[in-house]
């Protein structure tokens, strides 16, 4: 079995058309607003990683960061916090 791990930047996620079996959302903070028009667009780009997941996929998020939970909330996958 071959496993591939990718770390995608927020600007790479904005037009993503599919979601991985396992997605991880780290802490979301407004440090990338130099590229996005506002915080809502930044959060929307992060959601693209999870929006097309299936119920048997996995969404992992950083529990202490409420925005990370918001990002993975668009996924029907099983959710795990760290």
């Amino acid at each position: 079995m071959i496993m591939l791990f990718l770390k995608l930047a927020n600007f790479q996620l904005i037009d993503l058309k599919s979601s991985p079996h396992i997605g991880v959302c780290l802490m979301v903070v407004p440090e990338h607003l130099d590229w996005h028009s506002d915080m809502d667009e930044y959060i929307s780009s992060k959601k693209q990683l999870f929006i097309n997941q299936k119920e048997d996929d996995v969404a992992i998020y950083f529990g202490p960061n409420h925005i990370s939970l918001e990002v993975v909330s668009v996924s029907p996958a099983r959710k795990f916090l760290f």
Side-chain angles (χ1 to χ4, degrees), residues 27-46:
M27 193 160 85
V28 181
V29 294
E31 64 186 21
H32 297 295
L33 292 180
D34 58 329
W35 197 88
H36 293 283
S37 60
D38 57 26
M39 192 66 176
D40 288 336
E41 183 184 86
Y42 176 43
I43 292 169
S44 292
S45 73
K46 293 282 193 183

Side-chain angles (χ1 to χ4, degrees), residues 23-81:
V24 179
C25 180
L26 303 176
M27 193 160 85
V28 181
V29 294
E31 64 186 21
H32 297 295
L33 292 180
D34 58 329
W35 197 88
H36 293 283
S37 60
D38 57 26
M39 192 66 176
D40 288 336
E41 183 184 86
Y42 176 43
I43 292 169
S44 292
S45 73
K46 293 282 193 183
K47 287 179 179 180
Q48 290 303 113
L49 185 63
F50 301 95
I51 203 161
N52 294 307
Q53 283 190 312
K54 310 283 187 266
E55 288 182 5
D56 62 337
D57 290 335
V58 175
I60 301 169
Y61 65 98
F62 183 58
N65 185 259
H66 71 281
I67 301 174
S68 294
L69 175 57
E70 178 186 344
V71 168
V72 301
S73 70
V74 299
S75 174
R78 294 170 289 156
K79 294 169 185 68
F80 298 93
L81 64 89

Side-chain angles (χ1 to χ4, degrees), residues 8-16 44-46 48-49:
L8 299 174
N10 56 308
F11 61 87
Q12 294 171 303
L13 297 172
I14 200 164
D15 57 0
L16 199 65
S44 292
S45 73
K46 293 282 193 183
Q48 290 303 113
L49 185 63

